[in-house]
């Protein structure tokens, strides 16, 4: 059983930000910034490619609501929403979840960099995608 399923079953303790019959939100154990929260369905689904559209819709709407509440209560000035899919993208828990990462300062502990590659061809990339 995966670690989030164990948390759902209360086999592992967690700090619960929100819970209903189908979804759970908990404080991330790392707290990249204060209020860093993970939102996920209770039912085990591996990632965004496998989740059904109805559950995903509810999950993202819940993520928005929780984001608004966390930002207000924590006096955050910004927000990063993050979903990782597969190891190459940094997914370490293979039970779909969104990270809510409140931001307070652009020079805080979080680094998300979109570094510009030196060599690429936009047209050939587009051709591949639209082939
Ligand atoms: P991923 O890397 O899969 O996108 O994110 C997994 C997240 O789960 C990580 O940020 C990690 O800190 C968090 N995490 C892993 N194990 C636990 C745990 O037992 N409890 C809580 N609250 N968070 C966890
Ligand atoms: Zn699971």
């Amino acid at each position: 059983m995966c670690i989030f399923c164990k948390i759902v079953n209360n086999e592992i303790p967690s700090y619960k930000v929100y819970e209903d019959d189908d979804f759970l939100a908990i404080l991330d154990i790392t707290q990249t910034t204060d209020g860093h929260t993970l939102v996920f369905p209770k039912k085990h689904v591996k990632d965004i490619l496998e989740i059904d559209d109805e559950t995903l819709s509810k999950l993202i709407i819940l993520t928005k609501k929780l984001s608004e509440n966390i930002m207000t209560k924590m006096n955050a000035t910004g927000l990063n929403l993050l979903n990782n899919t597969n190891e190459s993208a940094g997914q370490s828990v293979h039970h779909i979840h969104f990270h809510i990462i409140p931001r307070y300062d652009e020079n805080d502990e979080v680094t998300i960099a979109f570094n510009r590659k030196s060599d690429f061809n936009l047209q050939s990339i587009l051709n591949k995608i639209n082939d």
Side-chain angles (χ1 to χ4, degrees):
M1 191 187 288
C2 93
I3 199 146
F4 288 178
C5 285
K6 287 183 180 166
I7 288 172
V8 167
N9 291 338
N10 290 312
E11 290 173 32
I12 294 177
S14 65
Y15 289 87
K16 293 181 182 173
V17 173
Y18 174 85
E19 182 170 23
D20 65 23
D21 288 347
D22 300 318
F23 298 95
L24 185 61
I26 60 170
L27 292 180
D28 191 301
I29 207 157
T30 62
Q31 289 301 285
T32 301
T33 62
D34 287 355
H36 180 183
T37 297
L38 305 168
V39 195
F40 47 91
K42 288 186 169 178
K43 186 179 141 204
H44 182 91
V45 183
K46 186 172 158 286
D47 59 37
I48 199 164
L49 303 174
E50 296 199 351
I51 192 169
D52 66 89
D53 288 353
E54 191 185 342
T55 308
L56 178 60
S57 304
K58 289 179 181 167
L59 177 61
I60 195 68
I61 290 166
L62 174 61
T63 300
K64 179 191 173 189
K65 281 185 184 149
L66 295 175
S67 297
E68 285 169 341
N69 185 50
I70 290 167
M71 283 187 71
T72 303
K73 300 282 179 53
M74 297 299 289
N75 287 317
T77 53
L79 169 75
N80 291 111
L81 290 180
L82 183 66
N83 168 255
N84 299 324
T85 302
N86 286 336
E87 285 89 351
S88 58
Q91 186 177 14
S92 59
V93 177
H94 295 272
H95 180 137
I96 187 175
H97 52 279
F98 282 98
H99 294 255
I100 296 173
I101 305 172
R103 300 297 298 272
Y104 304 93
D105 186 308
E106 62 193 84
N107 298 314
D108 63 18
E109 304 88 339
V110 182
T111 313
I112 299 173
F114 293 96
N115 297 320
R116 190 181 162 89
K117 280 174 64 182
S118 55
D119 184 26
F120 57 86
N121 182 314
L122 290 180
Q123 188 60 56
S124 99
I125 293 167
L126 190 64
N127 290 347
K128 273 193 196 171
I129 291 171
N130 289 342
D131 185 26

